[in-house]
Amino acid sequence: MTQVTERGTPLSAAPRAGVRRRSPAAAACVVGGAVAAGLGLGFLAVLVIVLWISSPYPDSGPGGALHLAAGLWLLAHGTELVRYDTLSGIPAPVGMTPLLLVALPVLLVRRAARLGSAAEEDEEVLPAAAVFSAVLCGYLAVGALATVYAAGGPMPADPISAAWHIPLVAALAAAGGVWGARGRPLGPLPSWLPGGVRKAVVRPRYALALRAGAGGSLVLLGGGALVVGASLAWHGAEVQASFLSLTGVWSGRFAVLLLALTLIPNAMVWGAAYALGPGFALGSGVTATPLGFPGAPALPRFPLLAALPAEGAGTPLTWAAVGVPVVAGLAVGWFAVRRAREVSYGETALTAALGAVVCGLTMTGLAAASAGPLGSRRLSEFGPVWWTTGVAAFAWTAVLAVPVAVAVHAWRTRPAIGPADPDADEAMVVDDGWHDSGVREIRWAALRKAAGALVPEMAAPTPVPPAVPAVPAAPVPGAAPGAAGRRAVTVVSGLDLDPGLLAPKSAEPVAPAEPASAPLAPPVVGARVLARRKPPPE
């Protein structure tokens, strides 16, 4: 006999119904990935077609422009292109990826993954792995078609390079989109990982290390941008002459300007590598460093290349670029310190060292992504060397971040200075653990949360009314004359009491008072309550 569920559906058919419900959502994710790839291709195709139409000397028809747009879309993923129309007849690889162009496919794939992770009220939410796989399949299908189409153009893509660059960029972007749609959770980690690894990763030191490493990397990139901007301003005449000599039509100059804008992030990484010391290569055997630049006569004419330092040994002006990694090391050490007093000096030093590792790894990846060949022979090496840049970033930040972090930790956990003692020459030092800035905020927040309405929010102190003078008690009929003096009411100075409480009670009934909405007053320390004495017998 077939079992049925509460809704009347056969038990054997329930999983199939779930599969059927998920099929439209999975298909929508596949279509979303394909649409993301198509939007990127369409944007570049429109841009290239507009430049081709506005050019007074078009070399090919619209088919060549579309093939070039497909090649640029593949180049935006890091794929290496091959240029066959060279003067020497030797195919020249073009592998330098404009980093600003990478933002186009990354944002589109991330958006497709976020939309696939969201569901309507009457739809079932797909698992993260299903959304990731579906979006990736749709995107890679269009990527394969674009690779085949670009093969018939003037700059076809290397199939081996496209086979791993496009899936890598798409997978990272899709994973970021799914992770953001799920609320950016930090766990739980997969169960197949060892228990010690899962427990170690959730420690606060790793989150602080990531923050410190990211801060140091941003300082290095900002410093690199400052170095490049200062060099462009210093060589302003050469940059302008190079820009105007490339072409005389406005469409060509607009294309050169767009290319320079897309290469600005590359220039920032190169400036950071220059400030770190290893510098960047400008051809085979030619490297620009703060210590000197031998010159590269085979460089093509381009505005950004016209801002290179002068040939010869370094000057104090070029040596000043070393201040960029110094500031980056200070930033890593500052962000690696926690406010909690219970953290030891060794834990703070370890967090700073891990932040330096993160900064080194980040600069390694950026240096590898910003470099690449621009041709054969002398132009086969162009850009910073990834491993030397990463090692230099780690060395600079580790040497400076660890002592700075320890010093900042000691400053934040120093004992507070109390009020001066009039009988002593120096101020009293309060070292009770409560007056530390970090511990005080943490404990006060926990106390206020546990007490609820009993502990009010911090407000301006209320003025204390003047003390009420002591009022002698009324004599009791039939009591001894001296008993009245011993039954006096003692009023503690400083208490906020209502004077009406001390007035004699009237015979009229008093309505019950409404519950007080104000919070309870804190207890008074030092108040002394006197016991009532019985009157002596007559």
Side-chain angles (χ1 to χ4, degrees), residues 240-263:
Q240 183 180 5
S242 176
F243 179 75
L244 296 178
S245 63
L246 286 175
T247 179
V249 297
W250 69 269
S251 59
R253 291 178 179 176
F254 181 69
V256 173
L257 180 61
L258 287 180
L259 181 58
L261 290 178
T262 57
L263 288 174

Side-chain angles (χ1 to χ4, degrees), residues 77-359:
H77 295 78
T79 304
E80 187 175 295
L81 306 181
V82 182
R83 185 167 57 90
Y84 289 98
D85 53 344
T86 59
L87 297 178
S88 60
I90 301 175
V94 179
M96 179 178 296
T97 303
L99 294 183
L100 188 60
L101 203 60
V102 181
L104 177 63
V106 168
L107 293 178
L108 290 175
V109 177
R110 186 176 182 274
R111 178 178 177 273
R114 287 181 62 90
L115 292 178
S117 300
E120 301 294 337
E121 296 181 358
D122 55 345
E123 294 181 359
E124 184 178 0
V125 180
L126 289 178
V131 176
F132 172 80
S133 304
V135 172
L136 197 61
C137 288
Y139 194 87
L140 294 182
V142 179
L145 295 177
T147 304
V148 175
Y149 181 77
M155 296 180 65
D158 184 8
I160 299 178
S161 178
W164 70 274
H165 277 101
I166 298 178
L168 177 63
V169 174
L172 293 177
V178 173
W179 183 60
R182 293 294 191 272
R184 298 180 179 87
L186 299 178
L189 296 176
S191 58
W192 51 268
L193 289 175
V197 176
R198 286 181 290 172
K199 293 180 180 179
V201 171
V202 297
R203 292 179 179 176
R205 77 161 70 109
Y206 295 101
L208 288 173
L210 288 175
R211 183 186 67 176
S217 302
L218 290 177
V219 171
L220 286 176
L221 293 178
L226 182 62
V227 170
V228 173
S231 182
L232 287 173
W234 186 266
H235 301 84
E238 293 85 348
V239 172
Q240 183 180 5
S242 176
F243 179 75
L244 296 178
S245 63
L246 286 175
T247 179
V249 297
W250 69 269
S251 59
R253 291 178 179 176
F254 181 69
V256 173
L257 180 61
L258 287 180
L259 181 58
L261 290 178
T262 57
L263 288 174
I264 285 180
N266 299 62
M268 295 170 59
V269 179
W270 292 14
Y274 181 84
L276 287 170
F280 49 89
L282 293 171
S284 179
V286 178
T287 304
T289 63
L291 300 179
F293 177 51
L299 290 178
R301 298 182 64 87
F302 194 71
L304 291 179
L305 296 178
L308 292 174
E311 300 181 10
T315 61
L317 186 61
T318 60
W319 299 341
V322 182
V324 174
V326 172
V327 178
L330 298 179
V332 173
W334 176 268
F335 286 114
V337 181
R338 273 184 283 176
R339 287 186 174 273
R341 189 184 181 91
E342 289 78 8
V343 179
S344 62
Y345 288 97
E347 178 71 15
T348 302
L350 178 59
T351 305
L354 291 176
V357 172
V358 173
C359 182

Side-chain angles (χ1 to χ4, degrees), residues 17-35:
V19 173
R20 286 196 297 269
R21 284 195 301 269
R22 290 183 181 181
S23 296
C29 291
V30 174
V31 174
V35 170

